[in-house]
Amino acid sequence: MLQAQDISHTVGTVVVLAWLLLLYLWLHSHVKLVHGPDTVQVPVWDKERKRVSSVSLAQLVRLNCTSLSARFLPTPYLPNGHFQTIFSGLTGRLGKKVVAYDRELLNLPDDGVLAIDWINSAGAEAPILIIVHGISGSSTDGYILDLIPEASAKGFRLAVLNLRGCGGVAITTPQLYSASNTEDVRKAIEYIHTKNPGTALIGIGFSLGANILMKCVGEDSSKSLLLASISVANPYDLNVGSVMLHSTWIGREFYSRLMTFSLVALFKRHEKMFASPSDSPREPIRLAAVLKSKYIADYDESVTRRNYGFRNTSEYYRMGSCAQYIPDIAIPTLFLSDLNDPIVAPSVIPCADVLSNPNIILATTRNGGHIGWYEGLLFPTRWYPKPVLEFSNTIVKVSVIALTDKSFVLNT
């Protein structure tokens, strides 16, 4: 049996190690902001001079987005990107929250369909957050459900897009979503804008959805119908990202396999639509090859690049990456990335493009993982809704106060 002295020594060692871990996490918990020297000027109401003035986007963010000037201190027992990412995946499948969406089906020009799931509890005049989910995801993904209560409490309506084939919506054409296809998101934004004239629209994309949204925003540039956009855990460069993900055993055999399993399951739900011979000149999709897919690149070779007419996966990744469109983003935009994301390597974060585009603020953290960012001890909660909603709230407030009713104040 252990003597009291041995137990005391063991407890003491555990306590010391725990304090060292907390110290390490605290020392690496600063949120780092990256932006160009002269960010875009944003109109604001000068209370002293009682007139519209202006302030730089960087100054506006530093003054009003307090979470981006503070720290992200991860839950101590989720101390790195792997723990955070795996915990996020588990909580997304176990004890999933139930949200009462109002679903609306949007018919697309090529006879395809996507679903918009609405949360309208904030009222008909409230600004709208348009959300794009990640790979093989939907409006029921945990990282979206964790944002909804806080967003509603801050006075936002939400329109969560379920891309082709996702969210339980049967496809009506032999076409699934892809990283390269921004037209569906664009049509959804146009529809929401037409349905809600004069309402502030802010786009928020998660993971692959962030890539799609930022590609769309860059393509539209100054013609974007969005007031602002937010990118969360964006892979940015799909070619480099794929190489980096598959360069490690855990990236290849764990993360890539899990994501591929979800993609294959998604395809199987719609396989009948691809069973009949097509008149399309594109290479056929063969079910046997799809079912044999082990890694993401296998799936994209057997399905995605063929579905969209690319000659190889490298071309699809190159043409589907948002990185090439970042210099053209022309609306206030927040990039939120974690430097210990096990799925998105820090080397793909486009710091040079951020520094040269006055419309973008990049915020980086450590040990938040891939759409994890859990903080707290007994009942961990996600940190990222704070900066996402602070940024959204700030942009909406200054746009409304400066340009219309100066007495308007959004809930804080």
Side-chain angles (χ1 to χ4, degrees):
M1 294 180 64
L2 290 175
Q3 296 182 356
Q5 185 176 1
D6 294 330
I7 295 175
S8 177
H9 177 74
T10 301
V11 171
T13 301
V14 170
V15 170
V16 170
L17 291 175
W19 276 107
L20 288 175
L21 174 61
L22 288 173
L23 177 62
Y24 170 82
L25 294 175
W26 186 83
L27 290 173
H28 293 81
S29 63
H30 280 103
V31 180
K32 182 180 180 181
L33 294 183
V34 178
H35 54 77
D38 299 305
T39 54
V40 66
Q41 293 292 307
V42 179
V44 295
W45 179 249
D46 189 327
K47 293 182 179 179
E48 293 183 0
R49 299 180 181 180
K50 296 183 179 180
R51 64 179 176 86
V52 175
S53 183
S54 64
V55 65
S56 72
L57 178 62
Q59 185 180 358
L60 189 70
V61 167
R62 290 180 183 276
L63 289 174
N64 293 277
C65 302
T66 55
S67 63
L68 295 177
S69 300
R71 297 173 181 271
F72 162 66
L73 188 62
T75 297
Y77 49 86
L78 303 173
N80 64 30
H82 291 295
F83 281 98
Q84 289 270 339
T85 303
I86 294 169
F87 187 78
S88 176
L90 290 174
T91 56
R93 288 166 173 77
L94 302 175
K96 184 174 287 189
K97 300 175 182 177
V98 177
V99 173
Y101 287 115
D102 293 321
R103 171 158 289 190
E104 183 176 12
L105 297 180
L106 177 63
N107 295 314
L108 300 166
D110 68 342
D111 296 325
V113 176
L114 63 76
I116 305 175
D117 284 342
W118 289 91
I119 296 290
N120 290 307
S121 56
E125 302 300 320
I128 300 172
L129 303 180
I130 302 175
I131 299 177
V132 188
H133 61 74
I135 190 167
S136 64
S138 72
S139 60
T140 62
D141 284 353
Y143 53 84
I144 293 176
L145 299 181
D146 287 340
L147 177 65
I148 289 174
E150 297 188 47
S152 297
K154 294 290 184 183
F156 290 98
R157 284 184 286 165
L158 295 97
V160 187
L161 308 187
N162 294 271
L163 302 178
R164 295 186 190 227
C166 299
V169 180
I171 60 173
T172 53
T173 65
Q175 191 89 56
L176 293 168
Y177 78 95
S178 81
S180 62
N181 178 16
T182 55
E183 193 59 26
D184 291 356
V185 170
R186 182 175 294 106
K187 290 299 181 185
I189 293 172
E190 290 174 357
Y191 171 75
I192 294 169
H193 173 75
T194 302
K195 186 178 179 182
N196 301 271
T199 300
L201 307 179
I202 295 180
I204 305 174
F206 291 91
S207 193
L208 190 67
N211 179 87
I212 298 171
L213 180 64
M214 292 303 105
K215 183 171 181 284
C216 179
V217 170
E219 290 171 343
D220 292 349
S221 194
S222 60
K223 296 180 180 179
S224 177
L225 297 176
L226 298 174
L227 178 64
S229 60
I230 302 172
S231 162
V232 182
N234 194 332
Y236 299 111
D237 187 320
L238 303 181
N239 253 325
V240 175
S242 178
V243 171
M244 296 299 293
L245 176 67
H246 293 88
S247 66
T248 65
W249 183 90
I250 193 168
R252 182 178 62 254
E253 300 299 332
F254 184 69
Y255 294 115
S256 182
R257 276 183 177 259
L258 281 176
M259 288 186 283
T260 304
F261 178 83
S262 297
L263 288 167
V264 172
L266 178 68
F267 180 86
K268 288 174 68 176
R269 288 198 288 270
H270 307 286
E271 66 178 275
K272 291 182 179 179
M273 185 60 70
F274 299 90
S276 302
S278 172
D279 295 331
S280 172
R282 297 174 181 175
E283 295 179 60
I285 295 174
R286 305 189 188 283
L287 179 60
V290 178
L291 297 180
K292 290 180 181 178
S293 299
K294 289 174 60 179
Y295 308 120
I296 293 177
D298 298 334
Y299 177 86
D300 286 332
E301 164 60 31
S302 60
V303 177
T304 317
R305 72 93 178 167
R306 296 167 185 261
N307 204 204
Y308 281 85
F310 292 105
R311 290 166 290 189
N312 51 61
T313 54
S314 179
E315 182 182 46
Y316 162 54
Y317 290 159
R318 183 173 64 255
M319 300 299 289
S321 296
C322 73
Q324 59 193 313
Y325 297 96
I326 289 174
D328 298 317
I329 291 175
I331 59 175
T333 297
L334 173 67
F335 288 174
L336 185 58
S337 295
D338 190 79
L339 299 179
N340 298 107
D341 186 330
I343 294 175
V344 179
S347 59
V348 305
I349 299 174
C351 292
D353 290 323
V354 169
L355 290 171
S356 62
N357 188 326
N359 297 288
I360 303 175
I361 303 291
L362 165 66
T364 61
T365 60
R366 291 183 179 274
N367 302 309
H370 189 71
I371 327 182
W373 283 296
Y374 285 96
E375 61 181 0
L377 188 60
L378 296 179
F379 302 100
T381 57
R382 296 194 196 252
W383 168 84
Y384 68 79
K386 294 178 185 177
V388 165
L389 295 175
E390 286 171 355
F391 183 81
S392 301
N393 195 12
T394 298
I395 296 298
V396 169
K397 285 175 69 174
V398 298
S399 68
V400 175
I401 293 171
L403 302 179
T404 56
D405 179 8
K406 294 182 283 291
S407 66
F408 174 88
V409 179
L410 194 68
N411 293 332
T412 56

